[in-house]
Amino acid sequence: MSRVERGRTKGSGDTAGSPEAGPNSGRASVAWPLLASELSVLFRRVRTWAMLAALAAVPVLIAVAVKLSSRPTAPGRGPLFLDRISQNGLFVAVTALVVCVPLFLPLTVGVVAGDTLAGEASIGTLRYLLLAPTGRTRLLLVKYAGAVAFCCAATATVAAAGALAGVVFFPVGPVTLLSGETVSVGEAAVRSLLIAAYATVSLIGLSAIGLLISTMTDVPVGAMAATIVLAVVSQVLDTLPQMDWLHPWLFSHHWVGFADLLRQPISWASFGDNLLLQGGYIAVCGALAYANFSNKDVLS
Amino acid sequence: MGPARRRWLTALLIPLALMLAVMTASVRAGATVSLPPKTPDELVSMMTHTPVRALSGTVQQTAGLGLPAVPTLGPGTVPGAAPALEFLTGTHTARVYVDGPAKARIQIMDALAERDLVVNQHQVWFYNSADNSATHVSGGTEPATPQEATPAPVPVPTPGTMANHFLTAIKADTRMTVGPSSTIAGRTAYRLDLAPGGADTLVDSVGIDVDSETGLPLAVEVKAKGQTDPAYTLAYTDLSLSAPDAGLFDFTPPQGASITEKALPAKPTPASSAVPPSPTGKLSHPNLTVTGQGWSAIVALPAGSVPSSITANPTYAQVMQPVPGGHALTTSLVNVLVLDDGRVFAGMVPLDRLQSAAAAQ
């Protein structure tokens, strides 16, 4: 129970049974320490660091593999820009993000988002969290903020490790965009950051789904697996032409749309569409998670 | 009402509100707008005298020709290998930039790739990011236009060029009516409906949406007989009539790209303007002959017109069905007959008409 003692049991009074009760004043002062404690717990876990390390290994592996391979990659084979990595290290980050977006990033985000509430429930700490005068809604928001923070950290890790591996192993120079135009190193770095931001936005909807599933069960592994399975199912459905009426509503529909950031001029349409879609998923799943969690009997 | 139920109701309000917002948006998008009435001839005159010389916009092409849909990912897809066949299914998006008659750029936005066609005076570049290859077409004394100097087929023309093809090719034998106005790419548009008079074509009707302000065609929709969904649509989803950035038309191939040089064909064929617009991309072949006219025109290519790179493509075998003496691509709108000796017959007519045209030669 050391996690709870670490700054979470500030204040007193039992609001667990009636989360709407009590004055609003004084709650804001509780939320920030709660968020800080949530983040420190999340980023002090060995599991979190192991997942970030695994993500960082992807660009490094790509860079090493390309460096060691004797024959050059044929254009058009393998993931985006794989053939150009050996000429320009800046492509490592983009290629790594392309590789990570379909599976590795959803995998890690599913683990974190699925664990948010179910994890606390399974080890019996959820009850103690609710003893503090934070209210369930606030706890839900803090938990979601923690999951989003991990999304940012995960994509930033891939992008940073990719940039580092690219600079170490390969020459760096002006970057060719999909439109055939060439941009400077500085603008290429800005575009890499934009792609990382795009990937983060893509994952916050999945985090909301994971949070909703996490309110439904006390078994964290179940919530994690369900979240990851949903991410895979959504992507499979997205490739079936027979389901094309469903495609615009799938949360993974715009996941690979970050290629639009590599066009000249940048096409912001898919970024906006993605933001809107993920916002919809956050609103719906957040509302359902609120309803489910605020009505839940917290027994453990 | 207990607190539990109240919370669920509150929570369900949000999905409900979102659903309402989506439905309102879609209803408003399909709503008709009221514009001062115009006759079909006035609309045609508006289109031919459109003052628009520069634009930048996004064009979306959707083909529902009754062909089996090909998965967009996974094994079996050959990116960039069969552009002619690829554009017969599914949805494709392209950005179009035009500045005067001599400068144009089309960017076909594939998933994680892009194909660019840049036309600037005498210089034409075709760039494919998937294999990092560039084709340069130069020469010719007159400024090239996108229709004439295309090194590879431009499968995503603009609604304007499509509408012009219909209007120039199919004047006779057509009933023109004005349909309900609508909003396309944020602009109000008249609807001009063309219906073929004869019975021997596969086309049921062609709808052209004409910008109420400038007369620019904003969308073209082709319906096939016996099919409720449009067989082919080409529409702007986004349009700005200001001149695009001049730097877009200065194309320098990137370092490391494989570059092919091609000379411009000496003289563009006059027959190309009479070809019915088929999305198969055979618009600018020098040796084609046209028999029949209007909607039932049949385009014929002499022997040896089909390169083996197309017939050897696995997608070719998937979509072509064997018929006596060759193979046929049958869709709800266009039929293409490829004979074993390499002759090609195509038209918006039933397959047996193509076969009788082939037998007559």
Side-chain angles (χ1 to χ4, degrees):
Chain A
M1 299 310 113
S2 63
R3 306 177 53 198
V4 176
E5 286 150 16
R6 209 163 43 222
R8 273 187 174 168
T9 44
K10 281 180 187 169
S12 59
D14 183 6
T15 54
S18 51
E20 300 304 315
N24 265 338
S25 59
R27 276 192 181 179
S29 58
V30 180
W32 290 115
L34 191 66
L35 181 61
S37 119
E38 171 69 25
L39 289 180
S40 82
V41 169
L42 177 64
F43 285 103
R44 264 186 233 172
R45 292 187 99 156
V46 178
R47 189 179 69 191
T48 308
W49 285 104
M51 289 195 296
L52 290 180
L55 285 173
V58 172
V60 175
L61 277 178
I62 292 175
V64 171
V66 171
K67 185 83 182 169
L68 293 184
S69 96
S70 50
R71 59 198 162 82
T73 317
R77 302 291 301 274
L80 184 71
F81 293 142
L82 189 65
D83 54 309
R84 301 197 204 153
I85 285 177
S86 54
Q87 293 138 41
N88 197 332
L90 289 177
F91 284 120
V92 176
V94 177
T95 306
L97 278 168
V98 174
V99 170
C100 286
V101 158
L103 187 62
F104 295 123
L105 281 170
L107 206 69
T108 54
V109 168
V111 167
V112 170
D115 190 52
T116 44
L117 292 161
E120 302 276 4
S122 75
I123 54 170
T125 47
L126 189 55
R127 206 154 50 128
Y128 297 96
L129 278 175
L130 293 173
L131 284 177
T134 46
R136 296 191 180 196
T137 315
R138 215 165 277 263
L139 178 64
L140 207 61
L141 286 175
V142 165
K143 282 291 183 188
Y144 183 62
V148 170
F150 179 80
C151 293
C152 298
T155 51
T157 304
V158 177
L164 208 66
V167 169
V168 169
F169 287 108
F170 302 106
V172 169
V175 168
T176 305
L177 299 173
L178 289 178
S179 307
E181 259 91 355
T182 306
V183 295
S184 65
V185 174
E187 194 182 338
V190 171
R191 296 214 183 195
S192 298
L193 283 180
L194 280 175
I195 291 175
Y198 189 103
T200 310
V201 170
S202 299
L203 293 171
I204 58 178
L206 182 66
S207 303
I209 294 170
L211 186 75
L212 171 61
I213 297 173
S214 195
T215 63
M216 296 175 177
T217 175
D218 290 347
V219 186
V221 177
M224 294 174 199
T227 310
I228 295 160
V229 164
L230 272 181
V232 174
V233 166
S234 170
Q235 292 180 84
V236 170
L237 287 178
D238 208 14
T239 60
L240 296 179
Q242 286 79 10
M243 308 290 287
D244 54 0
W245 54 272
L246 187 67
H247 289 175
W249 305 101
L250 293 170
F251 60 90
S252 66
H253 185 58
H254 297 291
W255 275 9
V256 289
F258 53 73
D260 285 359
L261 300 172
L262 292 172
R263 305 186 198 280
Q264 183 74 353
I266 292 181
S267 167
W268 291 103
S270 59
F271 200 106
D273 289 349
N274 192 26
L275 206 59
L276 209 62
L277 183 70
Q278 305 299 335
Y281 269 93
I282 292 169
V284 171
C285 292
L288 296 179
Y290 156 78
N292 196 27
F293 185 57
S294 54
N295 289 330
K296 192 177 180 178
D297 289 325
V298 177
L299 300 172
S300 58
Chain B
M1 196 157 68
R5 187 172 288 181
R6 203 179 60 232
R7 280 182 208 126
W8 271 110
L9 279 177
T10 326
L12 286 176
L13 273 180
I14 291 180
L16 211 65
L18 276 178
M19 240 154 69
L20 266 175
V22 169
M23 276 163 67
T24 325
S26 67
V27 165
R28 279 183 60 185
T32 57
V33 289
S34 62
L35 292 167
K38 282 208 179 352
T39 64
D41 288 330
E42 281 176 323
L43 288 181
V44 172
S45 157
M46 267 177 80
M47 270 194 277
T48 43
H49 297 110
T50 175
V52 175
R53 291 289 169 266
L55 61 87
S56 44
T58 309
V59 173
Q60 195 167 54
Q61 177 206 273
T62 308
L65 296 171
L67 286 173
V70 186
T72 50
L73 288 172
T77 53
V78 190
L85 298 175
E86 172 202 337
F87 284 91
L88 292 178
T89 60
T91 302
H92 296 273
T93 309
R95 287 193 293 187
V96 178
Y97 302 93
V98 179
D99 191 0
K103 287 185 182 181
R105 179 164 191 162
I106 296 173
Q107 303 182 317
I108 301 168
M109 312 222 276
D110 303 318
L112 297 178
E114 184 171 307
R115 280 165 284 170
D116 275 55
L117 174 74
V118 189
V119 179
N120 191 352
Q121 310 291 350
H122 311 292
Q123 307 288 318
V124 179
W125 281 98
F126 183 76
Y127 177 74
N128 188 350
S129 83
D131 53 6
N132 197 18
S133 69
T135 308
H136 183 212
V137 182
S138 58
T141 46
E142 291 170 54
T145 67
Q147 284 84 44
E148 290 164 355
T150 314
V154 192
V156 182
T158 65
T161 56
M162 275 288 277
N164 280 339
H165 270 300
F166 275 109
L167 289 177
T168 51
I170 311 161
K171 266 188 204 136
D173 208 17
T174 300
R175 290 189 313 274
M176 290 198 289
T177 48
V178 176
S181 310
S182 61
T183 309
I184 288 172
R187 306 179 70 90
T188 52
Y190 289 102
R191 172 66 167 240
L192 179 66
D193 282 316
L194 313 174
D200 53 354
T201 171
L202 295 169
V203 180
D204 180 58
S205 68
V206 174
I208 302 173
D209 293 288
V210 186
D211 184 24
S212 62
E213 206 179 304
T214 61
L216 182 78
L218 297 178
V220 173
E221 178 186 274
V222 186
K223 281 192 171 167
K225 278 179 180 155
Q227 194 176 327
T228 45
D229 291 332
Y232 183 85
T233 58
L234 183 70
Y236 284 108
T237 55
D238 180 47
L239 179 65
S240 147
L241 294 183
S242 54
D245 180 19
L248 277 172
F249 305 111
D250 294 328
F251 186 81
T252 316
Q255 268 197 329
S258 60
I259 298 172
T260 318
E261 290 284 346
K262 272 190 187 173
L264 191 70
K267 208 168 135 194
T269 164
S272 64
S273 60
V275 178
S278 78
T280 44
K282 296 191 178 70
L283 290 173
S284 54
H285 199 284
N287 298 322
L288 50 77
T289 52
V290 183
T291 53
Q293 58 172 339
W295 298 93
S296 51
I298 294 173
V299 184
L301 289 171
S305 298
V306 180
S308 58
S309 65
I310 290 183
T311 47
N313 194 296
T315 321
Y316 178 83
Q318 273 176 20
V319 294
M320 301 295 272
Q321 61 183 51
V323 292
H327 288 80
L329 172 73
T330 52
T331 72
S332 56
L333 196 61
V334 180
N335 280 326
V336 181
L337 176 65
V338 182
L339 296 174
D340 288 335
D341 58 10
R343 282 186 296 159
V344 179
F345 293 86
M348 297 189 289
V349 292
L351 184 61
D352 52 351
R353 297 237 344 160
L354 292 181
Q355 283 169 321
S356 53
Q361 281 194 4

